[in-house]
Amino acid sequence: MKIFKNIAISRRIRKNLKQQTTNLNGKKLQVQRVGCIVDIEEISKVDFLKDFIKSYGINSENYVILGYQDKGSDIQIEGIPLFSWKDINYSGNIRNYHADRLWELEYDLLINCFSTPKLPLLLLSSGVKAKLRIGLAGIDPVYNDIIIQAPLNDGITFIQEAKKIIKTIE
């Protein structure tokens, strides 16, 4: 059964990537709405993301941090809502309130905080509408507009590099 689910997810990812567009098109980036997808198994503390978002003066209703956990035994960790493998149906759709919220809105910036390509993370990332996508090395470049070469366990370096890049685009 897992094979059929993987096939459905892969199809959905390909469909999402075909529909995906970069919305900057030479315009300046104004960071007002941020989405973050985090692999909780790779990063246990996301304080550096919260600090990054607060540095832009973004209110809590204008950002979403969503974590992924393979087993999905928890609903949230340290205030970060989670989705898991079991939240994806056999059609490749995610049935999770927080993932739906992430998919509904368009973001100025999407931060993909994962370096291991897991189908659920790629599915979610490919379906989010964002003007700019920043991620880490180890993930296929089609999922990110900008790839930062920083170790994932060093969130401070990742955020410093992201700020430098955003400053040049602002």
Side-chain angles (χ1 to χ4, degrees):
M1 294 302 269
K2 188 173 182 178
I3 293 170
F4 295 117
K5 198 172 191 179
N6 285 343
I7 291 169
I9 292 171
S10 296
R11 270 194 210 130
R12 182 72 189 262
I13 290 170
R14 282 192 301 276
K15 180 181 173 186
N16 290 346
L17 288 174
K18 286 180 185 175
Q19 296 172 350
Q20 199 178 84
T21 59
T22 302
N23 296 330
L24 276 181
N25 297 329
K27 299 176 188 172
K28 300 280 185 186
L29 177 69
Q30 294 180 343
V31 181
Q32 297 173 341
R33 183 169 282 158
V34 178
C36 301
I37 303 171
V38 180
D39 187 347
I40 295 297
E41 294 167 357
E42 289 185 68
I43 303 173
S44 58
K45 303 277 186 203
V46 294
D47 294 336
F48 68 95
L49 287 172
K50 291 178 182 178
D51 293 341
F52 170 76
I53 292 167
K54 287 177 186 173
S55 73
Y56 284 96
I58 298 171
N59 297 329
S60 61
E61 65 269 2
N62 288 326
Y63 74 86
V64 175
I65 300 175
L66 182 61
Y68 173 77
Q69 189 177 44
D70 279 329
K71 300 296 180 208
S73 57
D74 298 320
I75 297 172
Q76 65 177 347
I77 294 177
E78 294 187 22
I80 303 299
L82 300 176
F83 80 103
S84 68
W85 176 259
K86 68 180 180 175
D87 291 327
I88 302 173
N89 66 20
Y90 286 94
S91 301
N93 295 316
I94 299 175
R95 297 173 302 172
N96 177 292
Y97 169 78
H98 301 287
D100 289 343
R101 182 172 173 230
L102 194 64
W103 267 357
E104 285 174 357
L105 302 172
E106 182 175 339
Y107 296 89
D108 299 314
L109 179 63
L110 175 66
I111 301 172
N112 289 317
C113 281
F114 53 92
S115 60
T116 306
K118 296 178 182 176
L119 284 177
L121 290 165
L122 300 176
L123 173 64
L124 185 60
S125 176
S126 68
V128 174
K129 297 175 213 89
K131 293 179 183 173
L132 182 67
R133 298 163 182 275
I134 295 178
L136 292 157
I139 302 300
D140 191 322
V142 300
Y143 296 97
N144 297 307
D145 300 316
I146 297 170
I147 297 172
I148 296 176
Q149 298 282 343
L152 195 53
N153 57 3
D154 185 11
I156 310 280
T157 304
F158 176 78
I159 292 306
Q160 287 172 345
E161 292 299 316
K163 281 185 175 184
K164 286 180 194 174
I165 292 165
I166 291 169
K167 189 172 253 184
T168 62
I169 299 172
E170 288 182 313

